[in-house]
Amino acid sequence: QVQLVESGGGLVQAGGSLRLSCAASGRTFSSYAMGWFRQAPGKEREFVATITRSRGRTYYADSVKGRFTISRDNAKNTVYVQMNSLKPEDTAVYYCAAGGYSSSPREYDYWGQGTQVTVSS
């Protein structure tokens, strides 16, 4: 069992930045690839970014490429996403997940509770 807790969400103006954190407990964090997803009101949950468990290879959705950076610190059992140049369309609940290195939510076994990110215009 893995427990995931997101933090760092909040309200920011367009063009600003936020860094989200996801702290893991339970089974060994380094055994899992990690991903970030988001869900806006009335929309499906969509892929944001993912990172491999050890080598640090990353993959991003086209909508965030060049603006968001995913990273992990296995010693701290934490994964991060640095979000720069935020746009109102980035407004969503952001979720971290543990599982496979994939853009599909079906490949992830564990999910956090989500943290709200609101970008004002």
Side-chain angles (χ1 to χ4, degrees), residues 25-100:
S25 62
R27 295 182 180 178
T28 304
F29 174 75
S30 61
S31 297
Y32 300 92
M34 299 294 295
W36 285 96
F37 294 78
R38 65 188 184 186
Q39 188 166 20
K43 297 183 179 179
E44 295 290 320
R45 188 166 299 186
E46 66 174 346
F47 169 73
V48 174
T50 187
I51 185 168
T52 57
R53 65 178 183 175
S54 60
R55 295 189 180 274
R57 180 177 295 183
T58 58
Y59 182 73
Y60 299 90
D62 289 342
S63 59
V64 307
K65 194 174 298 181
R67 299 189 297 121
F68 291 12
T69 303
I70 187 171
S71 62
R72 68 190 296 163
D73 186 338
N74 288 345
K76 297 181 179 179
N77 292 339
T78 303
V79 63
Y80 308 91
V81 58
Q82 176 68 44
M83 307 186 297
N84 298 327
S85 301
L86 283 162
K87 306 173 181 179
E89 50 263 46
D90 295 319
T91 295
V93 177
Y94 283 71
Y95 299 89
C96 67

